[in-house]
Amino acid sequence: IKLIIWVIVGIVALLVLVQIFNASKYEMVVNVVEGENVIGVNPLAERLDFGDLSRNGRMTRQVSIANGGRMNVYVMTWKWGELSDLVRIDKNNFTLGPGEETKISFEVRIPPSAETRIYKGRVWVFRIPKLF
């Protein structure tokens, strides 16, 4: 029985590791600057760079997600870091059918009390095959 439990734990651990390696990983960054209505944009595709923003500013970045497989996938995002509390995700924990494509929007809102400095964080987008 112990062997069966260890085999099951090993299979689950292997599946989790595969999902972590296959996740789309993005660095998030915003530079909070002095002034009013300041917006500086950095058009980079490899990370979610919200550019330079003043307090009370907001900026949105999008990531395209496509399902090229033959079965439904469950899409889930995880965000963390000091910037994660300032970022809102418009879609999370949803199913994407075969051949479908959608965009996930990440909007950063800088509060009036934010310090003028660079804030960083990370986001991972998982696409997990949905068996049921």
Side-chain angles (χ1 to χ4, degrees):
I1 292 180
K2 285 184 179 181
L3 179 63
I4 293 172
I5 292 173
W6 279 109
V7 168
I8 291 171
V9 168
I11 290 171
V12 169
L14 181 64
L15 292 174
V16 169
L17 284 174
V18 166
Q19 290 304 317
I20 289 173
F21 285 121
N22 285 335
S24 299
K25 300 170 182 87
Y26 300 96
E27 180 183 351
M28 298 186 297
V29 64
V30 67
N31 184 27
V32 177
V33 296
E34 290 289 340
E36 290 188 32
N37 299 323
V38 176
I39 297 176
V41 180
N42 297 322
L44 300 174
E46 65 272 0
R47 66 182 185 171
L48 295 170
D49 191 338
F50 297 98
D52 299 336
L53 290 174
S54 58
R55 293 180 183 105
N56 290 321
R58 70 170 85 181
M59 176 66 67
T60 302
R61 291 283 185 225
Q62 293 183 331
V63 173
S64 294
I65 302 293
N67 180 2
R70 296 183 179 175
M71 65 181 357
N72 290 336
V73 293
Y74 182 72
V75 179
M76 174 177 58
T77 60
W78 284 356
K79 59 182 175 129
W80 68 91
E82 61 187 353
L83 185 54
S84 66
D85 291 337
L86 304 178
V87 174
R88 295 177 195 225
I89 303 172
D90 74 332
K91 293 180 192 174
N92 195 6
N93 302 320
F94 63 94
T95 300
L96 196 60
E100 291 183 344
E101 185 174 340
T102 190
K103 293 185 182 212
I104 301 175
S105 293
F106 298 86
E107 180 184 38
V108 66
R109 294 181 181 185
I110 307 300
S113 60
E115 296 177 29
T116 55
R117 64 182 181 90
I118 295 175
Y119 291 82
K120 293 183 179 182
R122 294 200 170 272
V123 64
W124 287 0
V125 180
F126 295 94
R127 289 177 296 251
I128 303 167
K130 191 171 181 184
L131 302 175
F132 304 102

